[in-house]
Amino acid sequence: SAVISQKPSRDICQRGTSLTIQCQVDSQVTMMFWYRQQPGQSLTLIATANQGSEATYESGFVIDKFPISRPNLTFSTLTVSNMSPEDSSIYLCSAEQGAQGETQYFGPGTRLLVL
Amino acid sequence: DAKTTQPTSMDCAEGRAANLPCNHSTISGNEYVYWYRQIHSQGPQYIIHGLKNNETNEMASLIITEDRKSSTLILPHATQRDTAVYYCIVRDPLMDSNYQLIWGAGTKLIIKP
């Protein structure tokens, strides 16, 4: 199974600033995803990070707020821009792996608190 | 909306088998049943998945009914480290557009000493 790491593991930020979260996979994967988990809630998909092209965003999420990079098959970043307290969440990276791309594995998450 | 129904919470005594049910009555023929768990403050952990046949790995067993409308995740000898929220998800991994995992509320499993 894919092993996924994220940096930072947690951060406290001031409103109006931006934070970039890094996601590293220990093997090449085709599909990488970014999720958000607000306090006490289930996971919500933000976007699919596509290698070599622009990310595909889900309804309610826009590139200006959550720019994503995917420079290669093992790495991706998510930036949370112009943060407000409502952005306080856990941000999770996942990658799909398997002979038929059948299983998603998750990183440990980045806990973000915006003051 | 999640395509699965799970009990909100369950208790189990340490050392006993924990049996977590999941209903997925609208599952289609190509959809797999996946189980994940999320221990407090951690990322979701993949446990097991299956299509029709029962599956077993080092973590758990998955029993799928013959009509595939429900399944049970079995943790054979639960310990307090198994206390977590357990999610049952159905998905067809071969559909290119079907990459999103639809997360319900899951079952909060508490293992008691």
Side-chain angles (χ1 to χ4, degrees):
Chain A
S1 63
V3 177
I4 302 172
S5 59
Q6 288 183 231
K7 289 182 183 179
S9 58
R10 59 178 62 229
D11 209 341
I12 301 173
C13 300
Q14 298 298 318
R15 69 171 67 211
T17 63
S18 298
L19 176 71
T20 295
I21 303 168
Q22 298 180 8
C23 177
Q24 180 74 54
V25 188
D26 69 341
S27 57
Q28 292 187 342
V29 292
T30 304
M31 305 289 283
M32 291 182 73
F33 307 92
W34 287 98
Y35 287 82
R36 181 174 73 181
Q37 187 173 28
Q38 294 180 303
Q41 304 294 313
S42 290
L43 281 72
T44 301
L45 182 65
I46 297 172
T48 303
N50 302 309
Q51 197 267 330
S53 64
E54 204 167 271
T56 305
Y57 290 84
E58 297 300 308
S59 176
F61 298 96
V62 295
I63 188 171
D64 290 347
K65 177 67 177 177
F66 298 102
I68 289 171
S69 78
R70 178 89 192 270
N72 57 50
L73 293 176
T74 64
F75 186 79
S76 178
T77 67
L78 168 77
T79 300
V80 185
S81 303
N82 188 25
M83 288 183 285
S84 67
E86 291 71 34
D87 294 319
S88 298
S89 287
I90 299 174
Y91 291 86
L92 294 148
C93 168
S94 76
E96 197 165 81
Q97 194 176 61
Q100 297 171 317
E102 66 263 26
T103 302
Q104 282 190 31
Y105 298 95
F106 286 80
T110 296
R111 282 183 161 271
L112 172 61
L113 176 63
V114 184
L115 302 177
Chain B
D1 291 336
K3 300 184 191 177
T4 62
T5 304
Q6 299 177 253
T8 303
S9 63
M10 290 181 64
D11 293 344
C12 179
E14 191 166 27
R16 307 296 288 263
N19 297 281
L20 291 94
C22 180
N23 287 322
H24 31 79
S25 58
T26 61
I27 192 169
S28 67
N30 297 322
E31 287 183 317
Y32 285 68
V33 180
Y34 290 79
W35 283 84
Y36 286 81
R37 72 181 182 184
Q38 190 171 25
I39 296 169
H40 182 61
S41 300
Q42 299 182 22
Q45 179 186 21
Y46 164 78
I47 301 173
I48 199 167
H49 74 282
L51 182 62
K52 296 180 186 176
N53 301 320
N54 298 337
E55 302 288 344
T56 296
N57 63 20
E58 65 278 5
M59 288 182 68
S61 294
L62 173 60
I63 309 298
I64 303 173
T65 58
E66 194 167 340
D67 64 7
R68 301 208 324 121
K69 292 186 176 182
S70 65
S71 61
T72 301
L73 179 75
I74 301 173
L75 307 178
H77 304 287
T79 71
Q80 291 185 51
R81 286 179 297 179
D82 294 316
T83 293
V85 179
Y86 287 77
Y87 296 95
C88 169
I89 299 169
V90 296
R91 174 186 172 230
D92 179 355
L94 298 183
M95 283 187 65
D96 290 343
S97 61
N98 197 22
Y99 48 80
Q100 178 166 187
L101 300 177
I102 307 298
W103 300 79
T107 296
K108 183 166 186 174
L109 175 67
I110 298 173
I111 306 300
K112 298 190 170 180

